């Protein structure tokens, strides 16, 4: 599984980095920065919650790798 963020859709709510801080951080403007694109199988539920919590659906989790 691979994480992506569409910065054109993102409004900087911060839910992703609040819910999954091992995978997201924020830049100086409050927009998400992905720390780790590849999902660890043990972290699936908290990353899925972070993805599902994005109001703009800017954060996605896709099958596959880099």
């Amino acid at each position: 599984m691979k994480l992506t963020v569409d910065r054109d859709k993102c409004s900087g709510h911060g839910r992703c980095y609040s819910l999954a801080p091992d995978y997201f951080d924020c830049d100086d403007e409050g927009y998400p920065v992905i720390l780790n694109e590849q999902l660890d199988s043990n972290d699936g539920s908290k990353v899925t919650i972070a993805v599902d919590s994005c109001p703009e659906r800017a954060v996605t989790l896709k099958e596959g790798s880099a």
Side-chain angles (χ1 to χ4, degrees):
M1 303 294 278
K2 182 179 178 185
L3 282 169
T4 61
V5 174
D6 183 339
R7 288 186 58 101
D8 292 331
K9 289 183 180 179
C10 180
S11 293
H13 292 282
R15 293 178 184 172
C16 55
Y17 50 83
S18 295
L19 294 167
D22 292 338
Y23 289 87
F24 300 96
D25 198 359
C26 64
D27 64 14
D28 292 339
E29 297 176 352
Y31 289 93
V33 175
I34 296 176
L35 300 175
N36 186 1
E37 290 180 346
Q38 298 303 319
L39 181 65
D40 183 322
S41 60
N42 297 328
D43 293 332
S45 63
K46 69 179 169 183
V47 173
T48 300
I49 291 169
V51 170
D52 291 343
S53 295
C54 179
E56 284 82 19
R57 301 292 180 237
V59 180
T60 57
L61 185 59
K62 298 181 181 181
E63 291 287 334
S65 58

